[in-house]
Amino acid sequence: MSLSTTFIRKLSTSTGSCRSALQQRWSSSIRPSLDGLSDATNGENFEYKDAPINGIASLLPPPSTKYSNDHPALKGSLMPPSGVPVKNFSPGPTCLPAAVEAEIKGLFDETNDRMCSMYLSHRSPEFIDILNSTLHSCRNAMQIPDNYEILFMHGGGHGQFAAAALNLCSNKDDKATYLVNGTWSRRAAEEGSKYCTPTVISSENEDGSFTSNPSLDNIDADSKYIYLCSNETFNGIEIHNLPKLGPDSPPLVVDASSDFTTKPVDWVESNVGLLYACASKNIGHPGVTMVVIRKDLIGKQSPMCPSILCYDTNVKGGNLANTIATFNVEVIGIQMKWMIQQGGVDEMERRSIAKANMLYDIIDYSDGFYTTPLEDKSIRSRMNVPFTVGNNEEITKDFLLQLWEKGIVGLRTVTPFGVGKHLRASLYNGVTEDYVEELVFFMDKFMHNNR
């Protein structure tokens, strides 16, 4: 099935405002390009009857070129040729929305009438105003109830692997249940085991891969908490809706580092006790982690808990127990305000679904040219889409090289686990629907040229 056939299929099955939007895109973009295909291809006799957009010649894959394994595109470079605009699909850190980046740049403008937060004392009244504004925007954007505290902490996700156990378990004998559905939840369980006694419920396959979520049937009722990672970036597995555990279950601890702000959180029905997100995916720059902790769980920390990781210490210090990452906090505030202006978390979820559907459609309708390891569509990640190209490493290298020339980068990056078998397209809030369309249109033509 070709790309525009897929588009027509979506159009025929959509209703209401969604159908109107698809019709508008067809009328304004795709249909005119079909009429003017000979112009778009400089008169060459191409048989691409499903040409998606004006200027298709710039998207058609050029003939295969020779390359070296030392080529930047094959070593994870995020810097395309000079003058080529970047479309960053990196798993993180990654780009923020263009409007957010523009406002951040304005903080350093000589005409700005106030000092940038990067240079402000964290206890100055100017920064206190920034901090309070950011806290307000975060609570508003993600509808965080008043019985939760919001902290901005150091140490990233790895720091919180330890902090969760150290703050919620007063001694090593305290129990905790870990639901392991991927690489990061497995690491969290390993780290947490230093400070508590974990029950690990894992969906890991015999070959070390993950292609499902673990069952909730064997949770230890005596656990101080139930831990899960709502989106496993490396494995491409997402829990789109947190389990409805109810008030009588142990509190839920959520590593939402890669999907926070891309979908609503049901704080009450899911009995969320603790949620954290390192900033470098969807909410800001690396160097700060947002922690949301329910007030009734504060003050139960282990004597071993260092103050830098202690929620109680940081709450009592008003986020200023030590020098906070002032600039990073302001960036989070700018990002949250942008999100609210765009329509809030519901609009972010709509965009995430639309972007993911475009990419999974080209994979699913490629007759095996592109593959993804997740057959269960209900757990496929909207944030990180793993896929293979042509089942051939040489074709994959050519694919990456041609994309790099067009400024589409970040599909193969170096991780703590190597580069892995799959490429990954990460679709965070800073990645626009237009970026995904350009990637998908390229994939469609590359497939036709390399079957």
Side-chain angles (χ1 to χ4, degrees):
M1 183 179 293
S2 69
L3 188 60
S4 50
T5 302
T6 302
F7 189 99
I8 295 171
R9 177 180 57 81
K10 289 183 178 179
L11 180 60
S12 66
T13 57
S14 300
T15 59
S17 60
C18 179
R19 182 176 178 82
S20 297
L22 288 170
Q23 288 173 327
Q24 182 178 6
R25 176 163 291 182
W26 174 263
S27 299
S28 64
S29 178
I30 298 178
R31 181 67 262 173
S33 70
L34 300 182
D35 297 335
L37 180 58
S38 61
D39 292 336
T41 57
N42 298 318
E44 295 183 32
N45 186 27
F46 285 102
E47 295 299 326
Y48 296 122
K49 298 180 181 179
D50 297 310
I53 60 173
N54 290 325
I56 189 172
S58 66
L59 289 176
L60 290 175
S64 179
T65 55
K66 293 182 179 180
Y67 51 77
S68 162
N69 286 332
D70 290 329
H71 191 285
L74 306 181
K75 299 179 71 174
S77 172
L78 302 179
M79 297 295 292
S82 178
V84 178
V86 177
K87 295 95 176 177
N88 188 2
F89 288 85
S90 170
T94 190
C95 299
L96 298 176
V100 173
E101 292 183 344
E103 186 169 347
I104 293 168
K105 290 177 182 178
L107 299 176
F108 299 91
D109 195 320
E110 292 181 358
T111 62
N112 197 334
D113 60 359
R114 73 163 174 83
M115 189 181 296
C116 174
S117 56
M118 186 174 285
Y119 317 120
L120 288 175
S121 165
H122 64 297
R123 299 187 187 279
S124 66
E126 291 82 6
F127 178 72
I128 298 300
D129 287 344
I130 292 171
L131 174 60
N132 288 336
S133 175
T134 297
L135 288 168
H136 175 77
S137 295
C138 289
R139 196 174 293 278
N140 185 17
M142 289 307 297
Q143 302 167 20
I144 301 171
D146 291 338
N147 63 323
Y148 290 81
E149 296 282 358
I150 301 173
L151 299 172
F152 299 108
M153 301 183 68
H154 301 284
H158 282 82
Q160 293 305 310
F161 293 168
L166 285 166
N167 279 276
L168 301 182
C169 297
S170 58
N171 60 71
K172 180 71 167 63
D173 294 330
D174 282 346
K175 298 178 180 180
T177 296
Y178 281 80
L179 303 177
V180 174
N181 62 340
T183 302
W184 295 114
S185 49
R186 182 172 57 194
R187 278 200 168 192
E190 292 170 356
E191 185 68 16
S193 68
K194 299 175 183 178
Y195 313 109
C196 69
T197 301
T199 296
V200 176
I201 304 174
S202 176
S203 60
E204 185 171 2
N205 300 318
E206 290 185 3
D207 63 358
S209 65
F210 292 88
T211 52
S212 64
N213 283 317
S215 169
L216 301 177
D217 294 338
N218 298 313
I219 292 173
D220 189 334
D222 293 328
S223 295
K224 294 295 183 180
Y225 59 86
I226 303 166
Y227 186 104
L228 61 81
C229 178
S230 52
N231 182 67
E232 286 282 2
T233 57
F234 191 76
N235 310 93
I237 297 176
E238 183 173 357
I239 300 173
H240 298 127
N241 297 289
L242 295 177
K244 300 290 193 279
L245 297 177
D248 296 328
S249 77
L252 190 64
V253 173
V254 184
D255 175 358
S257 290
S258 54
D259 62 343
F260 189 57
T261 72
T262 69
K263 59 192 178 191
V265 175
D266 194 335
W267 302 94
V268 177
E269 291 298 319
S270 295
N271 198 26
V272 177
L274 167 67
L275 180 147
Y276 66 84
C278 55
S280 58
K281 316 287 188 184
N282 284 303
I283 65 173
H285 292 319
V288 65
T289 301
M290 182 174 164
V291 175
V292 184
I293 174 73
R294 206 170 65 204
K295 291 180 179 179
D296 64 293
L297 299 176
I298 298 171
K300 301 181 178 182
Q301 67 272 9
S302 164
M304 295 175 58
C305 186
S307 59
I308 192 70
L309 295 179
C310 181
Y311 303 149
D312 190 39
T313 298
N314 283 275
V315 167
K316 288 177 178 176
N319 264 301
L320 303 174
N322 68 315
T323 303
I324 195 171
T326 54
F327 176 69
N328 301 54
V329 168
E330 182 167 22
V331 169
I332 290 177
I334 295 171
Q335 172 71 18
M336 291 293 180
K337 290 175 183 175
W338 171 86
M339 190 177 112
I340 293 169
Q341 292 167 357
Q342 294 295 303
V345 67
D346 291 332
E347 172 61 14
M348 296 301 105
E349 183 175 43
R350 184 205 66 77
R351 294 180 187 182
S352 294
I353 293 171
K355 291 184 290 186
N357 282 348
M358 279 193 280
L359 196 46
Y360 283 119
D361 277 354
I362 188 67
I363 294 170
D364 289 339
Y365 294 115
S366 69
D367 293 325
F369 185 82
Y370 300 109
T371 67
T372 185
L374 278 302
E375 294 183 3
D376 184 351
K377 295 182 180 182
S378 70
I379 65 170
R380 286 178 173 178
S381 174
R382 301 168 187 163
M383 296 293 99
N384 312 95
V385 179
F387 65 97
T388 61
V389 181
N391 198 29
N392 182 300
E393 180 61 18
E394 294 306 308
I395 290 178
T396 301
K397 290 177 180 179
D398 196 26
F399 179 85
L400 291 169
L401 185 66
Q402 291 186 35
L403 284 175
W404 181 82
E405 294 283 352
K406 297 178 180 299
I408 298 176
V409 298
L411 298 176
R412 173 174 281 176
T413 55
V414 178
T415 76
F417 325 105
V419 295
K421 173 184 176 181
H422 299 91
L423 305 183
R424 278 186 299 163
S426 297
L427 311 178
Y428 302 130
N429 286 340
V431 176
T432 67
E433 291 177 70
D434 287 343
Y435 285 4
V436 180
E437 282 187 356
E438 183 172 346
L439 171 60
V440 168
F441 291 152
F442 173 86
M443 290 171 67
D444 189 46
K445 301 312 171 187
F446 185 89
M447 174 177 63
H448 283 294
N449 280 5
N450 287 277
R451 278 196 181 281

